[in-house]
């Protein structure tokens, strides 16, 4: 689990809202802005649709409490929210003044956040791919045609089935891998939203016996702190079971720590400072197949695990 960090997160949320608003404002539609504001008013006093779309992770938690407290929920009132999420998947089309069409879709969210690896598991890539497949246009039509589809995923932190009013809320849409979104999470609730500030935690190392530097059974990964901080996320996303399958990478780090003395790292750094390496961490990354700095955890699988272990081993300052 790693946080989603972006310098312009608020701007991206604002752009998201503008696209939805622009589409809803065009009028003559069943689901216009008035529809959304009216639906919200029934459950949330003094709150607008705009506030729902832009609600921060903690504000979303508060809204969910209000929603849960309602005795009779008529989910039919919120069909428009789910319909708009469908539009978001395919893209809201808007015409500019010169009649040129622009599109805003879930693809824009994933791309502009510049996330390569799933924030829930920090293990699987979520790169966007456009591909072609044969689909039936309609049930009665047997003709098949090729269309472009994308394989990016947006998880609803609060599932849209139970909480339809959050179906298009920016901070409820988490770019994630298919395994985390569909296989593990589904409609389950987890505790930590990757857009929120996550309490600090590290993965650690427990040496079991003297074989630890050549045998994976000689050590364990210490998950104690991760389990405390991540709570449901830790269980639902099977962090221990999955990460234990990557002990070979931890073993490599242990071996690098033993076989690359500080003097060798210093020597490489001095020789290539300013050309290949900006700092000692760059040297370590070069020697250990890609340890990332904290701000770049979202770019490479298992970056937090390898970083934390390398730090414990004294490979990083
Ligand atoms: Zn994942």
């Amino acid at each position: 689990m790693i946080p989603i960090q972006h310098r312009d997160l608020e701007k991206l949320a604002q752009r998201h809202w503008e696209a939805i608003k622009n589409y809803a404002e065009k009028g003559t539609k069943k689901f216009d802005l008035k529809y959304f504001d009216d639906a919200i008013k029934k459950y949330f006093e003094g709150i607008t649709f705009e506030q729902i779309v832009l609600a921060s992770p903690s504000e979303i938690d508060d809204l969910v409490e209000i929603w849960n407290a309602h005795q009779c929920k008529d989910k039919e009132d919120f069909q428009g929210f789910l319909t708009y999420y469908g539009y978001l998947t395919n893209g809201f089309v808007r015409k500019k003044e010169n009649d040129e069409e622009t599109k805003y879709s879930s693809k824009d969210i994933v791309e502009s956040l510049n996330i390569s690896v799933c924030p829930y598991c920090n293990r699987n890539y979520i790169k966007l791919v456009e591909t072609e497949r044969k689909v039936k246009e309609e049930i009665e039509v047997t003709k098949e045609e090729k269309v472009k589809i994308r394989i990016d995923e947006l998880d609803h932190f609060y599932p849209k089935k139970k909480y339809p009013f959050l179906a298009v809320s920016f901070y409820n849409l988490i770019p994630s891998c298919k395994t985390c979104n569909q296989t593990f999470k589904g409609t389950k609730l987890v505790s930590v939203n990757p857009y929120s500030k996550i309490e600090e935690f590290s993965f650690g190392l427990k040496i079991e016996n003297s074989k630890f530097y050549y045998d994976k059974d000689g050590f364990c990964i210490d998950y104690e702190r991760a389990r405390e901080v991540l709570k449901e996320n830790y269980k639902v996303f099977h962090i221990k079971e999955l990460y234990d399958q990557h002990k070979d990478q931890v073993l490599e780090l242990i071996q690098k720590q033993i076989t690359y003395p500080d003097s060798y790292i210093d020597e490489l750094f001095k020789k290539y400072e300013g050309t290949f390496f900006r700092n000692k961490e760059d040297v370590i990354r070069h020697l250990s197949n890609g340890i990332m700095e904290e701000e770049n955890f979202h770019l490479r699988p298992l970056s937090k695990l390898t970083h934390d272990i390398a730090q414990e081993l004294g490979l990083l300052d």
Side-chain angles (χ1 to χ4, degrees):
M1 170 88 193
I2 49 167
I4 298 175
Q5 291 169 330
H6 193 285
R7 207 179 298 155
D8 295 321
L9 212 47
E10 277 180 30
K11 267 191 202 163
L12 297 182
Q14 197 59 42
R15 180 186 64 162
H16 177 77
W17 160 245
E18 295 291 339
I20 293 171
K21 187 175 98 171
N22 182 274
Y23 192 81
E25 263 175 352
K26 278 194 284 185
T28 67
K29 277 189 302 288
K30 189 176 166 194
F31 303 122
D32 57 8
L33 275 185
K34 191 178 173 314
Y35 159 86
F36 288 107
D37 277 330
D38 287 348
I40 293 297
K41 249 187 249 163
K42 277 182 82 172
Y43 293 82
F44 307 98
E45 220 184 298
I47 303 276
T48 62
F49 178 45
E50 178 177 0
Q51 286 169 309
I52 296 282
V53 173
L54 293 173
S56 68
S58 64
E59 286 167 344
I60 288 177
D61 291 342
D62 295 343
L63 291 165
V64 161
E65 260 188 47
I66 297 170
W67 174 263
N68 286 342
H70 265 280
Q71 294 295 317
C72 333
K73 286 189 270 288
D74 187 357
K75 288 186 187 162
E76 284 300 306
D77 285 348
F78 290 85
Q79 191 50 47
F81 291 72
L82 301 174
T83 304
Y84 264 48
Y85 179 68
Y87 295 154
L88 180 65
T89 310
N90 297 315
F92 289 107
V93 179
R94 64 190 282 190
K95 274 201 164 59
K96 285 206 239 165
E97 275 168 21
N98 57 4
D99 249 18
E100 205 181 293
E101 279 190 349
T102 57
K103 231 180 186 189
Y104 174 81
S105 70
S106 51
K107 182 184 170 190
D108 292 282
I109 298 178
V110 182
E111 277 184 346
S112 51
L113 286 170
N114 187 29
I115 292 176
S116 305
V117 181
C118 172
Y120 284 136
C121 64
N122 186 220
R123 180 174 175 267
N124 295 326
Y125 278 116
I126 50 169
K127 288 277 186 193
L128 301 168
V129 175
E130 283 202 311
T131 183
E132 290 187 333
R133 67 172 181 182
K134 285 184 175 179
V135 292
K136 285 186 180 177
E137 205 173 40
E138 280 176 31
I139 296 162
E140 314 85 61
V141 181
T142 51
K143 184 188 82 175
E144 290 186 340
E145 66 178 41
K146 279 186 174 179
V147 293
K148 283 200 166 181
I149 59 155
R150 294 195 321 276
I151 58 160
D152 55 315
E153 300 264 324
L154 279 181
D155 169 60
H156 284 84
F157 183 75
Y158 283 105
K160 61 182 184 306
K161 253 189 184 170
K162 289 185 196 164
Y163 304 96
F165 69 99
L166 294 171
V168 290
S169 293
F170 184 80
Y171 295 102
N172 196 45
L173 300 172
I174 317 288
S176 63
C177 73
K178 202 167 194 149
T179 308
C180 285
N181 183 19
Q182 292 185 23
T183 311
F184 291 157
K185 187 163 173 286
T187 55
K188 289 191 197 90
L189 292 177
V190 292
S191 40
V192 187
N193 183 326
Y195 285 114
S196 62
K197 195 164 166 38
I198 300 171
E199 210 183 312
E200 268 190 35
F201 73 94
S202 293
F203 296 104
L205 192 61
K206 269 188 197 161
I207 306 295
E208 294 286 311
N209 59 51
S210 58
K211 295 183 193 165
F212 73 93
Y213 60 92
Y214 64 88
D215 186 339
K216 284 188 285 182
D217 293 333
F219 64 88
C220 290
I221 299 170
D222 182 353
Y223 296 101
E224 200 54 37
R225 185 70 185 132
R227 198 172 58 212
E228 277 169 24
V229 170
L230 301 179
K231 298 185 182 91
E232 280 81 10
N233 297 50
Y234 178 83
K235 279 182 263 167
V236 169
F237 298 117
H238 296 269
I239 298 297
K240 177 178 164 41
E241 291 91 329
L242 291 178
Y243 280 25
D244 271 350
Q245 294 175 37
H246 299 290
K247 280 174 81 180
D248 53 326
Q249 293 197 27
V250 176
L251 180 61
E252 278 173 23
L253 288 172
I254 295 172
Q255 290 169 335
K256 298 237 155 115
Q257 197 269 339
I258 293 166
T259 53
Y260 294 139
D262 284 352
S263 56
Y264 177 57
I265 293 167
D266 285 345
E267 196 185 317
L268 275 179
F269 181 51
K270 265 185 215 151
K271 199 168 174 185
Y272 296 110
E273 185 183 3
T275 51
F276 291 154
F277 306 127
R278 288 165 299 162
N279 47 41
K280 274 196 195 173
E281 207 159 298
D282 275 351
V283 185
I284 306 289
R285 189 170 16 258
H286 165 73
L287 295 176
S288 58
N289 311 331
I291 290 175
M292 304 303 279
E293 293 142 327
E294 209 167 329
E295 63 267 30
N296 291 324
F297 279 171
H298 57 287
L299 297 176
R300 201 164 285 181
L302 300 174
S303 50
K304 170 134 183 77
L305 174 70
T306 50
H307 172 275
D308 290 354
I309 300 292
Q311 194 151 46
E312 184 167 336
L313 288 167
L315 283 166
L316 305 176
D317 289 336

